[in-house]
């Protein structure tokens, strides 16, 4: 194993887990579209290699989903919708200047 420093300033984990209606899950809320929208906005801002947007499995708080966590800043976003993408980008912009 090789240990190193994370290469991204911000790494977003977008939970896309779907339980097929068995119980509430992030995948019920169109999270693949959410991930794609965030990724497109980060690309448009030239943040490739700085901000990473990844799909995630269950983050453990399904009832509050769709959930996104941002590391290493430890920011947790719940009940996220596509309409929240501008706010998420604003949060990332603020993190870029820190
Ligand atoms: S399904 Fe997203 S937190 Fe569990």
């Amino acid at each position: 194993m090789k240990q190193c420093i994370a290469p991204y300033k911000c790494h977003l984990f977008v939970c896309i887990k779907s339980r097929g209606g068995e119980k509430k899950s992030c995948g019920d809320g169109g999270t693949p579209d959410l991930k794609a929208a965030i990724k497109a906005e980060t690309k448009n801002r030239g943040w490739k290699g700085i901000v990473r947007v990844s799909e995630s499995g269950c983050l453990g708080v399904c009832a509050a989903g769709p959930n996104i966590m941002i590391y290493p800043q430890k920011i947790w976003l719940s009940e996220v919708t596509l309409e929240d993408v501008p706010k998420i980008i604003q949060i990332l912009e603020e993190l870029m200047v820190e």
Side-chain angles (χ1 to χ4, degrees):
M1 179 175 79
K2 180 179 172 188
Q3 182 174 337
C4 53
I5 303 291
Y8 309 109
K9 181 153 184 150
C10 301
H11 197 157
L12 284 74
F13 295 87
V14 181
C15 178
I16 60 158
K17 173 72 177 178
S18 174
R19 299 182 188 283
E22 176 186 320
K23 73 176 203 178
K24 188 176 187 312
S25 57
C26 295
D28 300 340
T31 45
D33 291 343
L34 187 58
K35 181 209 163 199
I38 297 168
K39 198 163 186 162
E41 290 293 330
T42 59
K43 185 178 177 187
N44 288 343
R45 282 164 176 74
W47 292 345
K48 185 175 178 160
I50 301 168
V51 175
R52 182 80 182 178
V53 184
S54 298
E55 295 178 357
S56 163
C58 180
L59 299 172
V61 287
C62 319
N67 293 290
I68 297 175
M69 62 179 187
I70 304 174
Y71 272 79
Q73 292 83 6
K74 298 182 182 176
I75 295 171
W76 195 286
L77 307 170
S78 296
E79 300 178 9
V80 181
T81 68
L82 272 174
E83 289 70 37
D84 294 319
V85 171
K87 177 63 178 165
I88 293 167
I89 296 303
Q90 183 183 344
I91 290 168
L92 292 173
E93 285 174 340
E94 291 168 7
L95 293 172
M96 289 298 116
V97 297
E98 287 183 357

